[in-house]
Amino acid sequence: MIKGNKDKPFFCYVTHNSIHSPELERAELIAKYKDRPGAKKGGRLNPVQAAMLETLDKSVGTICKKIKELRIERNTIVVFFSDNGQNGPMEGEPYRGCKGILYEGGIRMPFIVKWPGVVKAGSVCDEIMISNDFFPTFNEIAGVRYSAEDIDGVSLVPVLKDVGANLGRDSVYWHFPHYRKSTIGPHGAMRKGRYKLVEWYEKSAFGEEGAFELYDLVDDPKEQNDFAGSKPAIVKAMGAEFAKWRRDVGAQEMKKVSN
């Protein structure tokens, strides 16, 4: 696909299965990680995932190598992004949580951009982004205007050009109104500045304690200290803003139903 379109604009979207279930890899590659000294850490060992990660790494390398061979490296933007955290234990490192839950381990994902001549190699930006931002970002890069007004994301071009730039966005939101396994119920999250609010919808619907959790991600990125009880004013303000956002976008809400 890349070779056939090297002389004109193209968009190539590659969705790797690694790392994802079913966890499958070549036996010799699994053995490579299973037998590696110090591979078992904290009582955990998953050589299949490690082997799948190597395959993913090689695939990305193959794509980048082909772009270089075709001599279109200077005119090609490469974006690497992961959709969710590990499908496994809730105590994933270095952050708390896993796939299907809105703690940082479930939603704080790798995002790497290679844009020769624009993104400075090795630079790091602390601005918060979310996958909704891809649509306006790619449109701006391609010089395309869109007429839709209800776009959730914002263009990341300003921070790609200058890591110190500000996107002018105060908050980002996540909404997960579903049940996952037997331990994770419907919930949502909101990030505003240094604070992150997590709302458990069942508890909110029935007025139960523990409906909200509040974390300071600057001092506590592992979300070990819940400040909901000691900072009620922040919880109230963020909770109201989060509820308004759900109403504004028409998000699916839990309903209290009487038998």
Side-chain angles (χ1 to χ4, degrees):
M1 186 275 181
I2 296 176
K3 184 177 180 180
N5 292 276
K6 69 181 182 66
D7 296 321
K8 58 185 178 180
F10 66 87
F11 179 81
C12 181
Y13 179 44
V14 181
T15 54
H16 292 91
N17 185 67
S18 296
I19 303 171
H20 201 280
S21 59
E23 294 184 1
L24 301 170
E25 256 302 343
R26 291 176 289 123
E28 62 271 21
L29 198 55
I30 295 173
K32 170 185 173 181
Y33 289 96
K34 184 179 180 180
D35 300 333
R36 178 170 292 183
K40 190 173 184 179
K41 295 183 179 180
R44 295 179 59 194
L45 174 65
N46 193 327
V48 181
Q49 285 190 359
M52 293 177 78
L53 183 60
E54 179 174 321
T55 296
L56 169 63
D57 185 63
K58 286 184 176 180
S59 177
V60 174
T62 298
I63 294 171
C64 292
K65 182 180 179 181
K66 178 56 65 174
I67 290 172
K68 189 172 183 178
E69 288 177 353
L70 295 173
R71 298 182 179 180
I72 57 174
E73 190 176 24
R74 298 292 300 177
N75 299 319
T76 304
I77 302 169
V78 178
V79 177
F80 180 89
F81 182 69
S82 181
D83 59 346
N84 54 250
Q86 65 171 352
N87 185 24
M90 288 278 290
E91 64 275 9
E93 289 291 341
Y95 303 108
R96 174 187 182 188
C98 60
K99 178 179 180 178
I101 194 166
L102 299 177
Y103 292 129
E104 292 298 279
I107 60 175
R108 186 184 290 216
M109 296 297 107
F111 174 52
I112 304 170
V113 179
K114 181 181 180 182
W115 189 357
V118 178
V119 175
K120 184 179 179 180
S123 60
V124 178
C125 179
D126 293 326
E127 195 76 1
I128 304 300
M129 66 80 62
I130 193 167
S131 57
N132 298 337
D133 297 333
F134 286 134
F135 179 76
T137 300
F138 293 150
N139 272 276
E140 181 173 347
I141 291 173
V144 176
R145 288 191 174 187
Y146 51 88
S147 58
E149 298 180 356
D150 57 343
I151 301 299
D152 291 328
V154 299
S155 173
L156 300 173
V157 170
V159 294
L160 293 178
K161 292 182 176 180
D162 176 10
V163 296
N166 189 297
L167 293 176
R169 173 173 55 192
D170 292 330
S171 308
V172 291
Y173 314 90
W174 295 263
H175 182 59
F176 194 81
H178 311 290
Y179 292 88
R180 177 171 168 79
K181 301 181 180 180
S182 61
T183 56
I184 305 175
H187 63 301
M190 170 188 171
R191 174 76 184 269
K192 189 178 185 69
R194 68 189 298 145
Y195 291 109
K196 177 180 173 184
L197 184 78
V198 178
E199 179 178 359
W200 297 95
Y201 297 141
E202 263 193 1
K203 292 181 178 180
S204 283
F206 288 90
E208 298 177 1
E209 292 185 3
F212 293 97
E213 299 172 16
L214 181 69
Y215 299 99
D216 182 340
L217 294 186
V218 174
D219 293 336
D220 180 30
K222 293 188 177 182
E223 297 169 298
Q224 299 299 304
N225 302 301
D226 180 4
F227 289 103
S230 60
K231 297 183 182 293
I234 295 177
V235 172
K236 183 178 180 180
M238 290 183 67
E241 181 183 336
F242 191 27
K244 181 181 184 301
W245 172 80
R246 293 198 301 269
R247 292 193 300 270
D248 289 346
V249 300
Q252 177 186 352
E253 297 271 16
M254 287 198 70
K255 294 182 179 181
K256 186 177 179 180
V257 180
S258 302
N259 292 328

